[in-house]
Short mmCIF file of all heavy atoms in Angstrom, two decimals:
data_model
loop_
_atom_site.label_atom_id
_atom_site.label_comp_id
_atom_site.label_asym_id
_atom_site.label_seq_id
_atom_site.Cartn_x
_atom_site.Cartn_y
_atom_site.Cartn_z
N GLY A 206 0.83 -1.21 0.00
CA GLY A 206 0.00 0.00 0.00
C GLY A 206 0.85 1.24 0.00
O GLY A 206 0.70 2.12 -0.85
N HIS A 207 1.78 1.32 0.96
CA HIS A 207 2.76 2.42 0.95
C HIS A 207 3.79 2.15 -0.13
O HIS A 207 4.19 3.06 -0.87
CB HIS A 207 3.41 2.52 2.32
CG HIS A 207 4.42 3.62 2.44
ND1 HIS A 207 4.09 4.96 2.31
CD2 HIS A 207 5.76 3.59 2.67
CE1 HIS A 207 5.18 5.71 2.45
NE2 HIS A 207 6.20 4.89 2.67
N THR A 208 4.24 0.91 -0.22
CA THR A 208 5.03 0.41 -1.35
C THR A 208 4.44 -0.95 -1.73
O THR A 208 3.69 -1.55 -0.96
CB THR A 208 6.53 0.23 -1.01
OG1 THR A 208 6.65 -0.80 -0.02
CG2 THR A 208 7.14 1.52 -0.50
N LYS A 209 4.83 -1.46 -2.88
CA LYS A 209 4.35 -2.76 -3.33
C LYS A 209 4.77 -3.87 -2.40
O LYS A 209 4.06 -4.85 -2.20
CB LYS A 209 4.84 -3.06 -4.75
CG LYS A 209 4.03 -2.42 -5.86
CD LYS A 209 2.63 -3.03 -5.90
CE LYS A 209 1.81 -2.43 -7.03
NZ LYS A 209 0.41 -2.91 -6.98
N GLY A 210 5.97 -3.74 -1.84
CA GLY A 210 6.52 -4.81 -1.02
C GLY A 210 6.60 -4.50 0.46
O GLY A 210 7.41 -5.11 1.17
N GLY A 211 5.80 -3.59 0.93
CA GLY A 211 5.83 -3.27 2.36
C GLY A 211 5.45 -4.47 3.21
O GLY A 211 4.54 -5.24 2.86
N VAL A 212 6.17 -4.67 4.31
CA VAL A 212 5.85 -5.75 5.23
C VAL A 212 5.91 -5.24 6.66
O VAL A 212 6.55 -4.23 6.96
CB VAL A 212 6.83 -6.95 5.09
CG1 VAL A 212 6.77 -7.55 3.69
CG2 VAL A 212 8.25 -6.56 5.46
N CYS A 213 5.22 -5.96 7.54
CA CYS A 213 5.36 -5.78 8.98
C CYS A 213 6.05 -7.02 9.54
O CYS A 213 5.99 -8.10 8.95
CB CYS A 213 4.00 -5.61 9.64
SG CYS A 213 3.07 -4.14 9.13
N TYR A 214 6.69 -6.86 10.67
CA TYR A 214 7.33 -7.98 11.36
C TYR A 214 6.68 -8.16 12.72
O TYR A 214 6.55 -7.19 13.48
CB TYR A 214 8.83 -7.73 11.52
CG TYR A 214 9.57 -7.65 10.21
CD1 TYR A 214 9.85 -6.41 9.62
CD2 TYR A 214 9.99 -8.80 9.55
CE1 TYR A 214 10.52 -6.32 8.41
CE2 TYR A 214 10.67 -8.73 8.34
CZ TYR A 214 10.93 -7.49 7.78
OH TYR A 214 11.60 -7.42 6.56
N ILE A 215 6.26 -9.39 13.02
CA ILE A 215 5.57 -9.68 14.27
C ILE A 215 6.48 -10.54 15.15
O ILE A 215 6.94 -11.61 14.72
CB ILE A 215 4.25 -10.42 14.01
CG1 ILE A 215 3.37 -9.64 13.03
CG2 ILE A 215 3.51 -10.67 15.33
CD1 ILE A 215 2.13 -10.39 12.59
N ALA A 216 6.73 -10.06 16.36
CA ALA A 216 7.55 -10.81 17.32
C ALA A 216 6.87 -10.74 18.68
O ALA A 216 6.72 -9.65 19.25
CB ALA A 216 8.96 -10.23 17.40
N GLU A 217 6.43 -11.88 19.16
CA GLU A 217 5.70 -11.96 20.43
C GLU A 217 4.52 -10.98 20.44
O GLU A 217 3.61 -11.11 19.64
CB GLU A 217 6.64 -11.76 21.62
CG GLU A 217 7.65 -12.90 21.76
CD GLU A 217 8.52 -12.79 22.99
OE1 GLU A 217 8.46 -11.78 23.72
OE2 GLU A 217 9.29 -13.74 23.24
N ASP A 218 4.54 -9.96 21.29
CA ASP A 218 3.38 -9.06 21.39
C ASP A 218 3.62 -7.73 20.69
O ASP A 218 2.94 -6.74 20.97
CB ASP A 218 3.03 -8.81 22.86
CG ASP A 218 4.15 -8.09 23.62
OD1 ASP A 218 5.28 -8.05 23.11
OD2 ASP A 218 3.87 -7.56 24.72
N VAL A 219 4.58 -7.70 19.76
CA VAL A 219 4.94 -6.46 19.07
C VAL A 219 4.79 -6.64 17.56
O VAL A 219 5.15 -7.68 17.01
CB VAL A 219 6.40 -6.06 19.38
CG1 VAL A 219 6.77 -4.77 18.66
CG2 VAL A 219 6.60 -5.90 20.89
N ILE A 220 4.25 -5.61 16.90
CA ILE A 220 4.26 -5.55 15.44
C ILE A 220 5.02 -4.30 15.03
O ILE A 220 4.68 -3.18 15.44
CB ILE A 220 2.85 -5.50 14.83
CG1 ILE A 220 1.99 -6.68 15.29
CG2 ILE A 220 2.94 -5.50 13.30
CD1 ILE A 220 0.57 -6.66 14.74
N PHE A 221 6.06 -4.49 14.24
CA PHE A 221 6.82 -3.37 13.67
C PHE A 221 6.14 -3.03 12.34
O PHE A 221 6.21 -3.79 11.37
CB PHE A 221 8.28 -3.76 13.47
CG PHE A 221 8.97 -4.15 14.75
CD1 PHE A 221 9.06 -5.48 15.13
CD2 PHE A 221 9.52 -3.18 15.58
CE1 PHE A 221 9.68 -5.84 16.32
CE2 PHE A 221 10.14 -3.53 16.77
CZ PHE A 221 10.22 -4.87 17.14
N THR A 222 5.46 -1.89 12.31
CA THR A 222 4.54 -1.60 11.20
C THR A 222 5.14 -0.75 10.09
O THR A 222 4.48 -0.50 9.09
CB THR A 222 3.27 -0.91 11.72
OG1 THR A 222 3.62 0.33 12.34
CG2 THR A 222 2.54 -1.80 12.72
N GLY A 223 6.39 -0.31 10.25
CA GLY A 223 7.00 0.50 9.20
C GLY A 223 6.15 1.71 8.88
O GLY A 223 5.65 2.41 9.78
N ASP A 224 5.94 1.95 7.58
CA ASP A 224 5.11 3.09 7.17
C ASP A 224 3.73 2.64 6.72
O ASP A 224 3.04 3.35 5.98
CB ASP A 224 5.81 3.87 6.04
CG ASP A 224 6.97 4.70 6.55
OD1 ASP A 224 7.30 4.59 7.74
OD2 ASP A 224 7.56 5.44 5.74
N THR A 225 3.31 1.46 7.18
CA THR A 225 1.95 1.01 6.90
C THR A 225 0.96 1.65 7.85
O THR A 225 -0.06 2.21 7.44
CB THR A 225 1.85 -0.52 7.01
OG1 THR A 225 2.68 -1.12 6.00
CG2 THR A 225 0.42 -0.99 6.82
N LEU A 226 1.27 1.60 9.14
CA LEU A 226 0.34 2.07 10.17
C LEU A 226 1.06 2.98 11.14
O LEU A 226 2.10 2.62 11.70
CB LEU A 226 -0.25 0.87 10.91
CG LEU A 226 -1.14 1.14 12.13
CD1 LEU A 226 -2.34 1.97 11.73
CD2 LEU A 226 -1.57 -0.17 12.76
N PHE A 227 0.52 4.17 11.33
CA PHE A 227 1.02 5.14 12.30
C PHE A 227 -0.03 5.38 13.38
O PHE A 227 -1.17 4.95 13.27
CB PHE A 227 1.33 6.48 11.62
CG PHE A 227 2.33 6.42 10.52
CD1 PHE A 227 2.09 7.05 9.31
CD2 PHE A 227 3.53 5.74 10.67
CE1 PHE A 227 3.01 7.02 8.28
CE2 PHE A 227 4.48 5.70 9.66
CZ PHE A 227 4.22 6.34 8.46
N PHE A 228 0.37 6.14 14.39
CA PHE A 228 -0.56 6.58 15.41
C PHE A 228 -1.70 7.36 14.76
O PHE A 228 -1.49 8.43 14.17
CB PHE A 228 0.16 7.45 16.44
CG PHE A 228 -0.71 8.04 17.50
CD1 PHE A 228 -1.06 7.30 18.62
CD2 PHE A 228 -1.19 9.34 17.38
CE1 PHE A 228 -1.87 7.85 19.61
CE2 PHE A 228 -1.99 9.89 18.36
CZ PHE A 228 -2.34 9.14 19.48
N CYS A 229 -2.90 6.81 14.79
CA CYS A 229 -4.11 7.44 14.23
C CYS A 229 -3.97 7.81 12.75
O CYS A 229 -4.63 8.74 12.28
CB CYS A 229 -4.51 8.66 15.05
SG CYS A 229 -5.19 8.22 16.66
N SER A 230 -3.12 7.11 12.03
CA SER A 230 -2.92 7.43 10.62
C SER A 230 -2.34 6.22 9.90
O SER A 230 -2.23 5.13 10.48
CB SER A 230 -1.99 8.64 10.48
OG SER A 230 -1.93 9.08 9.14
N CYS A 231 -1.97 6.43 8.65
CA CYS A 231 -1.34 5.36 7.87
C CYS A 231 -0.38 6.00 6.87
O CYS A 231 -0.34 7.22 6.70
CB CYS A 231 -2.38 4.51 7.14
SG CYS A 231 -3.25 5.34 5.79
N GLY A 232 0.40 5.17 6.21
CA GLY A 232 1.39 5.67 5.26
C GLY A 232 0.74 6.28 4.03
O GLY A 232 -0.35 5.86 3.61
N ARG A 233 1.43 7.25 3.45
CA ARG A 233 0.91 7.87 2.24
C ARG A 233 1.00 6.90 1.07
O ARG A 233 1.86 6.01 1.04
CB ARG A 233 1.65 9.17 1.94
CG ARG A 233 3.14 9.06 1.84
CD ARG A 233 3.82 10.40 1.80
NE ARG A 233 3.48 11.16 0.59
CZ ARG A 233 3.95 12.39 0.31
NH1 ARG A 233 4.75 13.00 1.19
NH2 ARG A 233 3.60 13.00 -0.79
N THR A 234 0.15 7.09 0.09
CA THR A 234 0.05 6.14 -1.02
C THR A 234 0.23 6.80 -2.38
O THR A 234 -0.06 6.20 -3.41
CB THR A 234 -1.32 5.43 -0.98
OG1 THR A 234 -2.37 6.42 -1.08
CG2 THR A 234 -1.49 4.64 0.30
N ASP A 235 0.76 8.03 -2.38
CA ASP A 235 0.90 8.76 -3.63
C ASP A 235 2.29 8.62 -4.26
O ASP A 235 2.57 9.23 -5.28
CB ASP A 235 0.57 10.25 -3.44
CG ASP A 235 1.40 10.91 -2.35
OD1 ASP A 235 1.94 10.19 -1.49
OD2 ASP A 235 1.51 12.16 -2.36
N PHE A 236 3.15 7.80 -3.67
CA PHE A 236 4.45 7.51 -4.29
C PHE A 236 4.29 6.37 -5.30
O PHE A 236 3.30 5.62 -5.24
CB PHE A 236 5.46 7.10 -3.21
CG PHE A 236 5.86 8.20 -2.27
CD1 PHE A 236 5.86 7.97 -0.90
CD2 PHE A 236 6.25 9.44 -2.74
CE1 PHE A 236 6.23 8.97 -0.02
CE2 PHE A 236 6.62 10.45 -1.86
CZ PHE A 236 6.62 10.22 -0.50
N PRO A 237 5.26 6.21 -6.21
CA PRO A 237 5.20 5.08 -7.14
C PRO A 237 5.07 3.76 -6.38
O PRO A 237 5.77 3.52 -5.40
CB PRO A 237 6.53 5.16 -7.88
CG PRO A 237 6.90 6.62 -7.84
CD PRO A 237 6.41 7.11 -6.50
N GLY A 238 4.15 2.93 -6.83
CA GLY A 238 3.92 1.64 -6.17
C GLY A 238 2.92 1.71 -5.04
O GLY A 238 2.54 0.67 -4.48
N GLY A 239 2.49 2.92 -4.69
CA GLY A 239 1.52 3.07 -3.62
C GLY A 239 0.10 2.82 -4.09
O GLY A 239 -0.22 3.00 -5.27
N SER A 240 -0.76 2.41 -3.19
CA SER A 240 -2.16 2.16 -3.52
C SER A 240 -3.01 2.31 -2.27
O SER A 240 -2.79 1.60 -1.28
CB SER A 240 -2.34 0.75 -4.09
OG SER A 240 -3.71 0.37 -4.11
N PHE A 241 -3.97 3.21 -2.30
CA PHE A 241 -4.84 3.40 -1.15
C PHE A 241 -5.69 2.15 -0.90
O PHE A 241 -5.90 1.75 0.24
CB PHE A 241 -5.73 4.62 -1.34
CG PHE A 241 -6.58 4.92 -0.14
CD1 PHE A 241 -6.02 5.46 1.01
CD2 PHE A 241 -7.94 4.63 -0.13
CE1 PHE A 241 -6.80 5.73 2.14
CE2 PHE A 241 -8.72 4.89 0.99
CZ PHE A 241 -8.15 5.43 2.12
N ASP A 242 -6.18 1.53 -1.98
CA ASP A 242 -6.97 0.32 -1.83
C ASP A 242 -6.15 -0.78 -1.15
O ASP A 242 -6.66 -1.49 -0.26
CB ASP A 242 -7.49 -0.18 -3.18
CG ASP A 242 -8.58 0.70 -3.75
OD1 ASP A 242 -9.20 1.45 -2.97
OD2 ASP A 242 -8.82 0.64 -4.97
N GLU A 243 -4.89 -0.90 -1.54
CA GLU A 243 -4.04 -1.94 -0.96
C GLU A 243 -3.72 -1.65 0.51
O GLU A 243 -3.72 -2.57 1.33
CB GLU A 243 -2.76 -2.10 -1.76
CG GLU A 243 -2.95 -2.81 -3.09
CD GLU A 243 -1.64 -3.11 -3.78
OE1 GLU A 243 -0.60 -2.52 -3.42
OE2 GLU A 243 -1.64 -3.95 -4.70
N ILE A 244 -3.46 -0.39 0.83
CA ILE A 244 -3.13 -0.11 2.23
C ILE A 244 -4.37 -0.29 3.11
O ILE A 244 -4.25 -0.74 4.26
CB ILE A 244 -2.51 1.29 2.40
CG1 ILE A 244 -1.59 1.30 3.64
CG2 ILE A 244 -3.55 2.40 2.53
CD1 ILE A 244 -0.65 2.47 3.73
N LYS A 245 -5.55 -0.02 2.60
CA LYS A 245 -6.76 -0.28 3.36
C LYS A 245 -6.92 -1.78 3.63
O LYS A 245 -7.28 -2.19 4.74
CB LYS A 245 -7.99 0.24 2.61
CG LYS A 245 -8.19 1.75 2.72
CD LYS A 245 -8.68 2.14 4.10
CE LYS A 245 -10.11 1.69 4.35
NZ LYS A 245 -10.59 2.10 5.70
N GLN A 246 -6.62 -2.59 2.63
CA GLN A 246 -6.68 -4.04 2.82
C GLN A 246 -5.65 -4.50 3.84
O GLN A 246 -5.92 -5.38 4.67
CB GLN A 246 -6.47 -4.75 1.48
CG GLN A 246 -7.60 -4.54 0.48
CD GLN A 246 -7.26 -5.09 -0.90
OE1 GLN A 246 -6.30 -5.85 -1.07
NE2 GLN A 246 -8.05 -4.72 -1.88
N SER A 247 -4.46 -3.90 3.78
CA SER A 247 -3.41 -4.25 4.74
C SER A 247 -3.81 -3.86 6.16
O SER A 247 -3.59 -4.62 7.11
CB SER A 247 -2.09 -3.55 4.35
OG SER A 247 -1.61 -4.03 3.11
#
């Protein structure tokens, strides 16, 4: 969504969300490879 290959990493009770999910927000999708529909699904 933010990029075509964006991933999160889950370890025990923590998710490292990168630029997919922020505090009360999410990553922008207007860069090449970005997609609002995809980030919503993510």
Side-chain angles (χ1 to χ4, degrees):
H207 181 63
T208 65
K209 278 294 181 186
V212 299
C213 297
Y214 296 97
I215 306 172
E217 293 185 354
D218 64 344
V219 180
I220 304 179
F221 300 95
T222 61
D224 286 6
T225 296
L226 174 59
F227 301 133
F228 176 83
C229 288
S230 188
C231 69
R233 55 191 295 179
T234 59
D235 56 339
F236 292 131
S240 165
F241 184 74
D242 288 340
E243 286 187 344
I244 207 165
K245 282 287 290 181
Q246 292 172 13
S247 295

